[in-house]
Amino acid sequence: MAEALAFYTLSILILGLGVAVITTPKTVHSVVFLVLNFLCVAALYVVLQAEFLAVIQILVYAGGIVVLYLFVVMLVNLKRQPEEHQDPRRLAKVGLVLSGAVLVELAAIVVYSYGREPSSVSAPSPAFPVQGNIEELGWLLYTDYLIPFEVASVLLLVAMVGAIILARREL
Amino acid sequence: MLDTLVIPLLKIVVLLNAILISVTFMVLMERKVIAWAQSRLGPMRVGPYGVLQAIVDPIKLILKEDITPVKADKMLFSLAPILSLVPALVAFAVVPFGGDELFYVADINVGLLFFLSVTSIGVYGIILAGWASNSKYPLLASLRASAQLISYEIAVTMTLVSVILTSGTLSMVGIVEAQLADGVWYGFIQPVAFVLVMIGALAETNRVPFDLPEAETELTGGFHTEYSGMRFSLFFLAEYANIIVISAVTALLFFGGWLRPFPNVEALAFLDIIPGWIWLFGKIFLFLYLFMWIRATLPRYRYDQLMRIGWKLLIPIALANIVVTGIVKVLV
Amino acid sequence: MATQSAPIFDTDELVINMGPQHPSTHGVLRLVLKLDGERVVDCDTVMGYVHRGIEKLSENRDWTQIILLTDRMDYVAAATNNLGYCETVEKLLEVEVPRRARYIRTILAELQRIGSHCLWLGTHAMDIGAMTVLLYAFRERELVLDLFEEYCGARLTYNSMRIGGLPLDIPSGWDQKVRAFCDVMETKLPEYEELLTNNRIWLERTRGVGVISGPDATALGLCGPPLRGSGVYRDVRKDEPYAAYDEFDFEVPLGTQGDTYDRYLIRLEEFRQSIRIIRQALDGLPEGPIMGKVPRLLKPKAGETYHAIESPKGELGYFIVSDGRATNPYRLRVRPPSFCNLQGLKPLIVGHLVADVVCLIGTIDIVLGEVDR
């Protein structure tokens, strides 16, 4: 009961803050809403008993990446109106495509899950040789998901090298 | 009900009051220590040796006029001091002041990471304060604060990884217990990590020589230029609470927390007469004194030099430290 | 260098006003800085906030009254201002100053140099963030002020010299106190050096910051330590000796790099040279009168003269025109070292960071009272 209450409260908050992020006129305000949004998501993770993920969510997203957003937002002058694009209805077209994609996705989920047994969150997890949230996560990452984990790290490395090359034209 | 709600709440109330009171006395201590370093006397007028200054200062700050600049962003201007104080206080939740359950609010299995993530939120107060003031010097301070936090947080987090590797746990209580089991303070087996964390702590709490977001003589007070009265004092509460919590965490991670010196030497068992929390408080005091000592001694780094130290010095050393710790851990 | 690309974002240059109310502009200097991020791309120096018209005022005061006005120019080094003015009028009047008076004047001027450098050291270190040095330096400056108080009764604006000599002889026992002060100062200098000279942060903040080459410094008309920091040998005390400087043995420290650190080292060495001069002067202090033969009515012949001395800040010159009819100057013009050194501020600042700006204002050691007059 308490879990469901927390879940719905947080979901409403997350959605509301998400809307606030894209509707506020001031960029800094929307960044602040984004931070609050991330904090609520972290709280949601705690409800799902994924404390490690929650803490990492705050540390990396709220504490790190959004600080960089703020840095950039404060550094550049965003008071000027964006220049008119050649196609004034470009945004509407993009929006139509995106909303169509989301609709299809939702429909697919509904169709896929219709008539299936609801799987419980608290289903007995496979037996781990280790105890504890972080330990289990680490065990999974270094056994079953080793290849995705390594691929992800290589991807991040590539992104980092790319960013450095873009930032420094001459090396 | 009693165990899950009343006792934790009581603990929180006691802890918060203790922090706030100790902050006011810490300001007095800082004024005194720096005064002595500079061959002055410091506050002497209120009470014997100026002891009551700690009570008079907050009263003065509360009674002062609270000014909001006309062109400021009202919402964020009010929000910023709160945003900077709350994380500083929340961080205390995972700081154990003793091994017994009585001495901590919560011992969660990701305690150290919780501490890091909560302190990383605290910088929003400073950034938003600078931006919301709608003034140029505070804006420069905001930019400095955000750049500084990113560089130093990465370094500190990476450094702490090597401590986590050594202890094998993220829980604060667990780390101290691991030091008891290993029979040594981690400051002795991770001296590099200790130095890096101390440097990072100075940078994250905006203290000399890394007090760039404040930089009295450059940015005229930096992010809090436009603040006055109670809101201004909230920033200071946050800063000093941060110093206390960082001192506490450093003492826990590297100096055995509530353990006596050389916890494995039987001959020193008589030292156990002194309760653990007194050991911890003594260690915290030592670090607080260190912070003040450094403030009285060192000049300030420049912005670009600070970034260079963070990215080109601390992060590589932290990475190397992790590798070395890992290799030793595997071999031993 | 890659081709210049158009900026993606609208990154305006930030224009900030540093001063006239700013803790590090040493008075009421105002700098309009144009910043790109934290880098200064342009700088406009605005001054005149404490302009009191001392030069114009002097045209309506008689010769002795002007001494009092000179106190108010470089108010942290009033004695050297008095000295410069008195010597210029003496040159105009062709008055001979007794040797004892010249010796005491030298002692006062060098004490003043120590006092002024103490204030410079303290504030300069404070600007860079080392707050303890400020208190230490002021502790010693206090001793200098005490000595002046005992000599002439004032602590800041001394009015301590007269045309033709001195108003007062030194009090009995004063020379012993000056000697004692020299000993104290000698033990305190290592304290400053311990906090700064080899401090890594201090080195990083001052080395290579505000570099100016010798020819550039000369072309800008810099004087005093900023000029000597660039390796140019120019010290009025040596080049055109005045007071009793030609009788003493001292060295003029020179820099090699022309950066802020060199200027810091030079001033610290000047402390030591000043102590050396004071000791020599006390050792050889002659007996005799302290006032020369000066006519009761000061009325110089028509003519003009320029005379310069080495104030703690640099070359302090007075140019005085007398029309030979009145008991006041027809025109008095001051060549203030602070004003000339302030000219060098813009070339020093441009290209540096905001944090360096305060460091560079400190290194040229200006007093706004003297800049604006």
Side-chain angles (χ1 to χ4, degrees):
Chain A
M1 176 57 201
E3 207 170 280
L5 195 69
F7 173 76
Y8 286 115
T9 321
L10 284 170
S11 308
I12 291 165
L13 269 175
I14 289 166
L15 288 176
L17 286 167
V19 171
V21 169
I22 54 172
T23 52
T24 354
K26 278 189 183 167
T27 328
V28 172
H29 285 192
S30 62
V31 175
V32 174
F33 285 129
L34 190 63
V35 177
L36 295 175
N37 193 340
F38 283 154
L39 292 183
C40 291
V41 173
L44 199 61
Y45 287 143
V46 174
V47 173
L48 294 171
Q49 290 168 356
E51 298 96 353
F52 183 73
L53 208 53
V55 169
I56 290 296
Q57 163 91 5
I58 298 176
L59 188 63
V60 174
Y61 285 95
I65 290 172
V66 183
V67 174
L68 286 180
Y69 285 7
L70 260 185
F71 185 77
V72 173
V73 165
M74 287 190 305
L75 206 59
V76 299
N77 185 3
L78 290 169
K79 284 182 196 131
R80 203 174 58 181
Q81 286 295 311
E83 283 161 29
E84 283 291 309
H85 197 266
Q86 282 171 341
D87 184 359
R89 299 183 67 186
R90 184 177 58 108
L91 281 178
K93 286 175 187 168
V94 174
L96 193 68
V97 172
L98 278 180
S99 50
V102 172
L103 194 69
V104 168
E105 205 178 329
L106 285 173
I109 292 169
V110 170
V111 169
Y112 179 75
S113 58
Y114 184 73
R116 281 169 196 267
E117 288 291 311
S119 68
S120 163
V121 181
S122 54
S125 45
F128 285 111
V130 285
Q131 286 297 312
N133 194 304
I134 316 159
E135 286 85 346
E136 284 171 16
L137 192 71
W139 182 264
L140 276 180
L141 277 182
Y142 282 98
T143 52
D144 294 3
Y145 296 96
L146 185 61
I147 290 169
F149 180 73
E150 289 298 335
V151 168
S153 7
V154 170
L155 200 66
L156 286 174
L157 185 68
V158 168
M160 199 160 79
V161 172
I164 291 168
I165 287 172
L166 280 179
R168 295 192 58 170
R169 300 269 163 77
E170 83 249 56
L171 282 173
Chain B
M1 188 68 185
L2 189 77
D3 270 358
T4 57
L5 212 60
V6 178
I7 290 180
L9 272 179
L10 264 177
K11 277 187 202 163
I12 291 170
V13 169
V14 170
L15 186 63
L16 285 184
N17 282 304
I19 295 162
L20 295 183
I21 291 167
S22 56
V23 164
T24 62
F25 278 95
M26 193 185 149
V27 174
L28 176 72
M29 175 182 162
E30 172 153 44
R31 289 176 69 176
K32 280 286 187 189
V33 167
I34 292 179
W36 291 330
Q38 298 173 339
S39 61
R40 297 185 284 128
L41 289 173
M44 287 294 282
R45 299 274 166 172
V46 194
Y49 294 96
V51 172
L52 297 181
Q53 193 73 35
I55 298 160
V56 178
D57 273 350
I59 293 175
K60 181 197 79 174
L61 281 168
I62 291 166
L63 293 179
K64 275 202 167 179
E65 187 187 358
D66 196 5
I67 301 164
T68 310
V70 177
K71 294 253 173 112
D73 186 311
K74 302 273 180 316
M75 183 185 91
L76 291 182
F77 191 78
S78 312
L79 188 67
I82 302 167
L83 262 184
S84 91
L85 179 61
V86 170
L89 297 180
V90 169
F92 277 97
V94 291
V95 174
F97 291 95
D100 194 72
E101 206 185 327
L102 185 71
F103 290 109
Y104 50 81
V105 175
D107 175 35
I108 53 178
N109 59 357
V110 287
L112 191 55
L113 277 179
F114 180 85
F115 163 75
L116 284 172
S117 61
V118 168
T119 46
S120 74
I121 296 289
V123 76
Y124 280 106
I126 291 172
I127 299 177
L128 292 176
W131 185 83
S133 300
N134 203 359
S135 176
K136 284 169 182 170
Y137 285 111
L139 184 67
L140 280 177
S142 287
L143 294 175
R144 285 180 172 190
S146 43
Q148 183 172 329
L149 175 100
I150 293 289
S151 348
Y152 280 85
E153 201 182 68
I154 293 174
V156 170
T157 312
M158 281 185 170
T159 313
L160 290 183
V161 169
S162 52
V163 179
I164 297 166
L165 278 178
T166 318
S167 69
T169 172
L170 281 171
S171 142
M172 296 287 217
V173 179
I175 290 172
V176 177
E177 276 163 3
Q179 293 180 57
L180 181 61
D182 293 350
V184 63
W185 292 357
Y186 284 162
F188 292 110
I189 48 177
Q190 288 283 6
V192 179
F194 168 64
V195 173
L196 292 188
V197 166
M198 274 314 288
I199 296 172
L202 285 171
E204 282 209 48
T205 49
N206 297 330
R207 295 286 297 187
V208 173
F210 305 107
D211 62 337
L212 297 171
E214 278 170 43
E216 188 84 36
T217 49
E218 291 162 23
L219 301 181
T220 65
F223 65 91
H224 58 65
T225 304
E226 306 287 345
Y227 280 86
S228 60
M230 197 57 212
R231 284 182 204 164
F232 171 80
S233 51
L234 285 185
F235 280 120
F236 270 80
L237 276 178
E239 183 180 321
Y240 284 93
N242 266 326
I243 295 169
I244 296 177
V245 78
I246 282 216
S247 305
V249 168
T250 319
L252 287 166
L253 294 188
F254 295 103
F255 280 72
W258 54 86
L259 302 178
R260 67 180 159 84
F262 305 103
N264 54 340
V265 178
E266 284 299 322
L268 289 171
F270 66 91
L271 286 174
D272 283 333
I273 301 168
I274 303 170
W277 57 273
I278 289 186
W279 280 119
L280 183 59
F281 278 23
K283 288 165 191 171
I284 293 174
F285 255 99
L286 215 63
F287 283 114
L288 294 183
Y289 179 76
L290 192 66
F291 270 89
M292 290 161 192
W293 186 8
I294 289 172
R295 182 171 171 202
T297 313
L298 293 181
R300 182 184 305 118
Y301 264 114
R302 204 171 59 201
Y303 175 69
D304 58 326
Q305 293 164 344
L306 173 128
M307 298 298 278
R308 202 185 60 225
I309 295 169
W311 289 99
K312 294 191 176 168
L313 199 70
L314 296 191
I315 293 179
I317 295 176
L319 278 173
N321 198 34
I322 294 175
V323 173
V324 171
T325 312
I327 291 170
V328 171
K329 187 93 175 162
V330 169
L331 291 181
V332 178
Chain C
M1 185 65 204
T3 51
Q4 205 166 21
S5 61
I8 307 166
F9 298 106
D10 182 8
T11 48
D12 281 348
E13 280 161 353
L14 184 68
V15 178
I16 65 169
N17 245 321
M18 192 175 254
Q21 291 173 354
H22 186 283
S24 300
T25 52
H26 295 212
V28 282
L29 175 68
R30 175 171 163 224
L31 296 174
V32 183
L33 300 173
K34 207 177 269 176
L35 301 181
D36 173 21
E38 285 226 8
R39 204 162 283 283
V40 181
V41 287
D42 198 9
C43 156
D44 204 359
T45 316
V46 185
M47 54 180 218
Y49 290 93
V50 283
H51 177 64
R52 292 148 298 171
I54 285 177
E55 287 177 8
K56 186 70 188 166
L57 209 56
S58 304
E59 293 169 18
N60 295 308
R61 295 287 182 277
D62 72 31
W63 297 96
T64 314
Q65 285 174 328
I66 296 171
I67 301 172
L68 188 138
L69 291 177
T70 62
D71 276 338
R72 271 95 186 149
M73 291 196 308
D74 182 355
Y75 39 73
V76 298
T80 46
N81 289 9
N82 298 158
L83 176 63
Y85 171 74
C86 290
E87 290 208 329
T88 316
V89 179
E90 281 151 12
K91 205 168 158 187
L92 201 62
L93 280 167
E94 288 160 2
V95 169
E96 183 73 23
V97 182
R99 193 146 168 263
R100 182 176 174 84
R102 286 192 283 128
Y103 264 67
I104 298 174
R105 280 178 174 190
T106 310
I107 296 170
L108 290 177
E110 290 306 316
L111 277 179
Q112 188 68 85
R113 192 181 310 279
I114 293 175
S116 170
H117 278 3
C118 276
L119 186 118
W120 160 80
L121 178 69
T123 50
H124 186 40
M126 184 77 190
D127 289 344
I128 301 183
M131 61 198 281
T132 301
V133 180
L134 176 85
L135 274 297
Y136 284 2
F138 267 61
R139 185 181 62 194
E140 272 71 72
R141 182 169 178 262
E142 193 67 21
L143 300 175
V144 176
L145 297 190
D146 286 345
L147 288 174
F148 269 101
E149 189 180 7
E150 194 172 345
Y151 171 67
C152 66
R155 289 170 66 80
L156 198 67
T157 48
Y158 308 122
N159 197 7
S160 59
M161 288 170 202
R162 292 291 179 274
I163 292 154
L166 294 162
L168 305 154
D169 205 340
I170 55 171
S172 65
W174 191 74
D175 52 339
Q176 291 309 314
K177 285 181 186 164
V178 174
R179 251 181 239 279
F181 165 75
C182 288
D183 297 341
V184 170
M185 197 65 209
E186 227 160 35
T187 60
K188 299 297 180 188
L189 282 172
E191 267 184 38
Y192 310 150
E193 296 225 61
E194 202 177 320
L195 278 168
L196 299 177
T197 305
N198 292 319
N199 186 326
R200 274 187 67 112
I201 304 178
W202 181 261
L203 288 173
E204 286 195 34
R205 284 301 302 275
T206 54
R207 265 209 191 141
V209 171
V211 179
I212 190 158
S213 70
D216 282 354
T218 318
L220 279 165
L222 299 189
C223 53
L227 182 64
R228 293 195 284 272
S230 303
V232 180
Y233 186 91
R234 165 71 182 162
D235 189 323
V236 187
R237 291 177 293 178
K238 284 276 188 196
D239 295 348
E240 297 137 33
Y242 56 94
Y245 283 108
D246 48 349
E247 300 177 30
F248 304 132
D249 191 24
F250 64 97
E251 275 148 36
V252 178
L254 289 182
T256 49
Q257 308 297 318
D259 57 5
T260 306
Y261 187 64
D262 269 6
R263 292 187 278 268
Y264 157 78
L265 287 181
I266 281 177
R267 289 198 178 96
L268 275 188
E269 185 55 33
E270 284 189 4
F271 274 121
R272 297 203 168 86
Q273 296 302 331
S274 291
I275 293 172
R276 205 171 141 196
I277 296 171
I278 293 173
R279 285 204 174 126
Q280 289 176 46
L282 286 170
D283 288 341
L285 189 62
E287 294 298 324
I290 51 157
M291 257 325 244
K293 289 196 178 61
V294 184
R296 194 150 276 229
L297 185 69
L298 294 174
K299 206 170 174 183
K301 292 197 296 280
E304 57 181 51
T305 190
Y306 176 81
H307 178 71
I309 63 156
E310 187 75 21
S311 95
K313 313 277 187 293
E315 181 178 338
L316 170 69
Y318 287 86
F319 175 71
I320 299 178
V321 181
S322 163
D323 59 2
R325 282 174 302 186
T327 54
N328 47 26
Y330 176 76
R331 173 80 172 96
L332 184 144
R333 156 81 191 154
V334 185
R335 183 220 186 265
S338 296
F339 179 79
C340 296
N341 285 341
L342 188 60
Q343 304 230 31
L345 187 60
K346 182 179 169 178
L348 286 180
I349 284 179
V350 169
H352 281 298
L353 299 170
V354 178
D356 291 328
V357 172
V358 294
C359 162
L360 292 170
I361 296 173
T363 192
I364 59 168
D365 190 17
I366 48 167
V367 165
L368 268 293
E370 192 180 48
V371 173
D372 295 342
R373 300 190 296 290

